[in-house]
């Protein structure tokens, strides 16, 4: 792959979504400032930010990033003039596709996490007990405790907490990136509606499949903790494999067939 085009794509991503990425990544700061402002107005003083608020800040930042940043970075490729300029760039369609993967699944999460975690730690150092401790360490501790309870004695869940979060980031942002380069208008709305439609279709098909005589035919003695964990790992692996294969193929063929 030509590094020159990748540098161009990274620069384009920064110009189109750099400020938005920083603003979204600083969500713990905004939560803290808004909480203290409200507390100051109604209680005539500063208060201690509830522990759950910072967790909500992380979740909201994640959602806003995967939903809106792909449109800002790649949404204009479906517009006539910017899209035509993008198609004329001296790089193959595969190079452009692979660059999209690197930007959305490598560069963007690195910047997002660096600013998010950095702002969280900085606020905890400056404001101490009124802000609370860094959230990420607490999240990983709780995820580790949950996974320790799920693991059997001999077989562990294949995906650790951080790895599961990263896979969730990649699957979600690739889905919204596909929507950003597929739909020409109302990209975010149509992508969200598509997600609901796909979820409904999977539910209906699964219900029909079960209703038409699919029988697990398991006896309680047929299952132990080790076999259950192996089954869960296999199912998760298949789901992620199919999901990423479909998303990657969708993005590739959209890039390959995009015309103006």
């Amino acid at each position: 792959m030509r590094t020159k085009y990748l540098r161009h794509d990274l620069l384009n991503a920064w110009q189109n979504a750099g400020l938005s990425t920083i603003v979204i990544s600083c969500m713990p700061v905004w939560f803290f400032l808004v909480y203290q402002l409200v507390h100051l107005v109604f209680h005539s003083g500063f208060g201690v930010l509830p522990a759950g608020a910072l967790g909500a800040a992380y979740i909201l930042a994640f959602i806003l990033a995967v939903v809106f940043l792909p449109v800002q970075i790649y949404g204009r490729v479906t517009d006539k003039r910017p899209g035509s300029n993008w198609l004329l760039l001296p790089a193959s369609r595969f190079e452009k596709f692979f660059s999209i993967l690197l930007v959305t699944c490598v560069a963007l999460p690195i910047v997002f996490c660096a600013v998010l975690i950095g702002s969280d730690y900085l606020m905890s150092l400056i404001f101490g007990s009124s802000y609370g401790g860094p959230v990420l360490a607490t999240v990983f501790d709780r995820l580790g405790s949950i996974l320790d309870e799920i693991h059997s004695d001999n077989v562990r869940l294949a995906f650790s907490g951080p790895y599961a979060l990263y896979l969730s980031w990649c699957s979600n942002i690739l889905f919204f990136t596909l929507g950003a380069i597929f739909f020409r208008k109302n990209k975010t709305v149509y992508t969200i509606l598509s997600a609901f439609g796909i979820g409904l279709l999977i539910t209906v098909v699964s219900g029909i499949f079960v209703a038409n005589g699919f029988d697990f035919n398991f006896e309680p003695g047929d299952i132990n903790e080790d076999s259950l964990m192996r089954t869960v790992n296999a199912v998760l692996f298949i789901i992620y494999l199919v999901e990423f294969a479909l998303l990657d193929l969708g993005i590739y063929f959209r890039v390959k067939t995009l015309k103006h």
Side-chain angles (χ1 to χ4, degrees):
M1 178 180 175
R2 301 177 188 177
T3 56
K4 186 176 181 180
Y5 176 76
L6 179 58
R7 288 197 299 269
H8 171 273
D9 209 13
L10 290 170
L11 179 61
N12 176 74
W14 177 254
Q15 291 175 340
N16 290 333
L19 180 60
S20 298
T21 302
I22 293 175
V23 170
I24 292 173
S25 302
C26 288
M27 195 60 64
V29 178
W30 312 136
F31 264 59
F32 180 76
L33 293 178
V34 170
Y35 176 80
Q36 295 299 349
L37 179 61
V38 172
H39 200 278
L40 184 63
V41 170
F42 290 98
H43 301 281
S44 302
F46 297 106
V48 178
L49 187 67
L54 291 178
Y58 266 65
I59 294 172
L60 181 59
F62 180 94
I63 294 173
L64 292 177
V66 300
V67 170
F68 293 106
L69 293 183
V71 175
Q72 290 190 329
I73 298 174
Y74 293 110
R76 286 188 288 183
V77 302
T78 58
D79 296 339
K80 188 173 182 179
R81 185 172 180 179
S84 298
N85 293 335
W86 183 76
L87 291 175
L88 292 174
L89 289 173
S92 68
R93 298 297 179 99
F94 179 80
E95 288 173 330
K96 293 175 180 178
F97 154 74
F98 193 64
S99 180
I100 290 174
L101 297 187
L102 291 178
V103 170
T104 56
C105 295
V106 179
L108 189 57
I110 288 176
V111 175
F112 174 80
C113 289
V115 177
L116 181 64
I117 297 170
S119 64
D120 186 26
Y121 272 87
L122 186 61
M123 293 293 288
S124 66
L125 289 176
I126 295 175
F127 296 100
S129 59
S130 61
Y131 178 83
V135 173
L136 192 63
T138 303
V139 170
F140 284 163
D141 287 341
R142 292 182 179 178
L143 281 175
S145 300
I146 294 173
L147 292 177
D148 287 339
E149 294 180 1
I150 295 175
H151 293 152
S152 67
D153 294 334
N154 300 315
V155 183
R156 299 179 65 83
L157 194 63
F159 303 102
S160 63
Y163 190 34
L165 290 175
Y166 177 68
L167 289 176
S168 178
W169 167 280
C170 291
S171 63
N172 282 282
I173 203 164
L174 288 178
F175 183 80
F176 279 92
T177 300
L178 178 58
I181 64 176
F182 183 82
F183 298 111
R184 295 187 179 274
K185 295 182 179 179
N186 301 318
K187 300 172 183 289
T188 301
V189 174
Y190 286 154
T191 305
I192 293 174
L193 291 176
S194 298
F196 279 116
I198 293 171
L200 180 61
L201 178 62
I202 293 174
T203 301
V204 171
V205 171
S206 300
I208 294 174
F209 188 63
V210 173
N212 279 272
F214 183 80
D215 186 7
F216 289 100
N217 206 17
F218 285 146
E219 297 293 336
D222 296 334
I223 304 176
N224 55 43
E225 291 185 357
D226 291 348
S227 63
L228 180 60
M229 286 303 301
R230 292 190 183 95
T231 302
V232 170
N233 284 334
V235 170
L236 288 175
F237 179 79
I238 293 172
I239 289 175
Y240 277 122
L241 181 64
V242 172
E243 182 178 13
F244 283 115
L246 292 176
L247 289 173
D248 289 348
L249 287 173
I251 293 173
Y252 173 74
F253 283 110
R254 179 54 176 163
V255 170
K256 186 176 179 62
T257 59
L258 187 61
K259 296 179 180 180
H260 291 286

